[in-house]
Amino acid sequence: MDGSPPPRPALSVADLVADGLADAEQAPVLEQVVQDFRLRLTPQMRAASALSDGVARQFVPSAAELIQRPEDSLDPIGDDVHAPVPGLTHRYPDRVILHVTKTCEVYCRFCFRRETVGDTGHLPPDQLEAALDYIAQTPAIWEVILTGGDPLVLSPRRIADLMARLTAIAHVGVIRLHTRVPVVAPDRITDALIAALRLHPSVWVVVHTNHADELTHEARAALARLADAGVPLLAQTVLLREVNDNANTLEDLFRALIRLRVKPYYLHHCDLARGAGHFRTTIAAGQAIMTALRGRLSGTCLPTYVLDIPGGFGKVPIGPDYLLADGQSWRVTDPNGQIHRYDDPVKS
């Protein structure tokens, strides 16, 4: 046994109708949607979806996904543009993304990799070897980011093997894993999995979560197991229309995460994924939300609001600008909207 839970049963549109998560008359069009964009939902998130529209909207398919917009992209953040070998993205000099699997425990309806998730399962052995060889032969690589798909769908045995191989590369100082598993499939956070993660001396886990209603009792317990084991935890959130695009909802989420010892890291502006236009807000709306949060939350609770520039040109902060140049001085806006003057030191 490798410590993984048993395989989860397949989920269908008919199951969503039976759960009351979709209307029967919508079933034919939703069947069209899931032909293009896969459907997968854990029992925990099925139960949470029944109680919360903010959760259901993330996972239950919608006819709006069939609407194509001119700005939609098959590769919105440029994974393919920066792939020196299959399964690896090298966008920044000191770090790479290793796509260890195309599988997730849930398929988010706004996913920026929705064109590929679920296609091929684990990265084939020959491609994994080529990716690890590239990392070993590139001394500038200091951080390896495991993603997919979701790396924590791999068995503890596979994760342990991968961690051991990356640990053997002397210039790899940090391994970061991006995952939804602790929230959506908390039963996977076992002692065997935690032991596998701790094979490298500096492992960070970035938990993807977008609404406080996702943080079930089981999810909170799974996050506690990771934190108690000494695994540093960050959180990444996507700004989503009619899910969390208001200051109150995000405040609830960020406060809950900090209480769980999870530092909010990034608030992502929604990417230009095909069929996800109904989730996107304007940047101005996001900046207004961040302005409101700045006046209500401590810095520990606040993530950086970022845009992943379409085409693979990297992430940039797009939070509200509190400074305006005024000759040799600056006009500074405080969290309450009051404006103050600040003078730079004069060069002698």
Side-chain angles (χ1 to χ4, degrees):
M1 299 296 290
D2 62 12
S4 298
R8 304 188 192 278
L11 185 68
S12 68
V13 171
D15 293 324
L16 297 179
V17 173
D19 286 352
L21 296 175
D23 294 332
E25 60 267 24
Q26 290 183 314
V29 70
L30 296 185
E31 293 287 1
Q32 296 178 43
V33 173
V34 300
Q35 289 298 312
D36 279 345
F37 305 127
R38 291 168 179 81
L39 171 63
R40 195 173 193 202
L41 196 53
T42 60
Q44 294 87 350
M45 289 302 99
R46 283 176 74 177
S49 294
L51 299 173
S52 169
D53 289 341
V55 178
R57 188 166 166 80
Q58 297 181 60
F59 304 121
V60 176
S62 162
E65 296 175 57
L66 298 176
I67 299 172
Q68 305 296 304
R69 303 193 182 206
E71 69 271 19
D72 288 355
S73 171
L74 300 182
D75 183 20
I77 67 167
D79 280 335
D80 295 339
V81 175
H82 298 281
V85 295
L88 198 72
T89 300
H90 193 178
R91 183 178 293 113
Y92 302 102
D94 72 330
R95 53 204 181 274
V96 292
I97 297 171
L98 180 55
H99 307 265
V100 291
T101 179
K102 298 291 188 181
T103 303
C104 297
E105 281 284 9
V106 294
Y107 291 139
C108 303
R109 309 316 302 175
F110 49 87
C111 178
F112 60 87
R113 293 195 178 109
R114 64 188 315 191
E115 303 293 338
T116 57
V117 291
D119 277 349
T120 56
H122 304 333
L123 190 65
D126 60 328
Q127 293 184 11
L128 179 60
E129 291 295 331
L132 292 172
D133 286 346
Y134 178 89
I135 294 169
Q137 294 166 17
T138 311
I141 296 172
W142 176 77
E143 184 175 22
V144 176
I145 302 162
L146 303 183
T147 182
D150 192 315
L152 292 191
V153 303
L154 300 180
S155 69
R157 177 186 59 79
R158 285 180 180 268
I159 292 173
D161 178 69
L162 182 56
M163 299 297 280
R165 298 189 66 180
L166 288 170
T167 300
I169 302 173
H171 56 263
V172 173
V174 174
I175 299 174
R176 186 179 357 144
L177 297 94
H178 280 245
T179 179
R180 259 194 173 280
V181 161
V183 171
V184 304
D187 50 323
R188 280 192 168 273
I189 307 302
T190 61
D191 291 344
L193 177 62
I194 292 172
L197 293 178
R198 297 188 66 191
L199 288 176
H200 191 279
S202 185
V203 171
W204 290 70
V205 170
V206 183
V207 180
H208 291 209
T209 183
N210 303 311
H211 198 286
D213 289 346
E214 297 173 45
L215 301 174
T216 63
H217 175 75
E218 293 81 6
R220 291 167 187 259
L223 292 169
R225 289 196 293 276
L226 288 165
D228 289 346
V231 178
L233 299 172
L234 303 172
Q236 187 164 290
T237 296
V238 183
L239 183 63
L240 299 167
R241 186 188 301 274
E242 297 181 12
V243 172
N244 60 16
D245 60 331
N246 64 83
N248 289 339
T249 300
L250 287 177
E251 179 180 356
D252 289 345
L253 173 62
F254 298 153
R255 287 190 188 276
L257 288 168
I258 285 294
R259 285 196 297 269
L260 293 166
R261 294 172 286 172
V262 183
K263 169 70 179 87
Y265 169 50
Y266 277 150
L267 174 65
H268 277 272
H269 195 71
C270 190
D271 293 305
L272 303 179
R274 183 167 65 100
H278 57 295
F279 284 110
R280 294 197 283 268
T281 66
T282 64
I283 288 176
Q287 290 175 326
I289 292 169
M290 289 302 296
T291 298
L293 291 173
R294 171 65 63 178
R296 290 156 59 168
L297 295 176
S298 70
T300 55
C301 293
L302 287 172
T304 301
Y305 181 35
V306 295
L307 173 70
D308 216 328
I309 302 171
F313 297 100
K315 296 183 185 71
V316 291
I318 56 171
D321 190 351
Y322 297 93
L323 292 171
L324 180 65
D326 185 9
Q328 300 300 312
S329 300
W330 296 92
R331 298 176 66 200
V332 186
T333 304
D334 68 26
N336 297 315
Q338 301 297 311
I339 296 176
H340 310 269
R341 173 174 170 153
Y342 178 85
D343 295 318
D344 275 333
V346 178
K347 291 183 179 179
S348 58

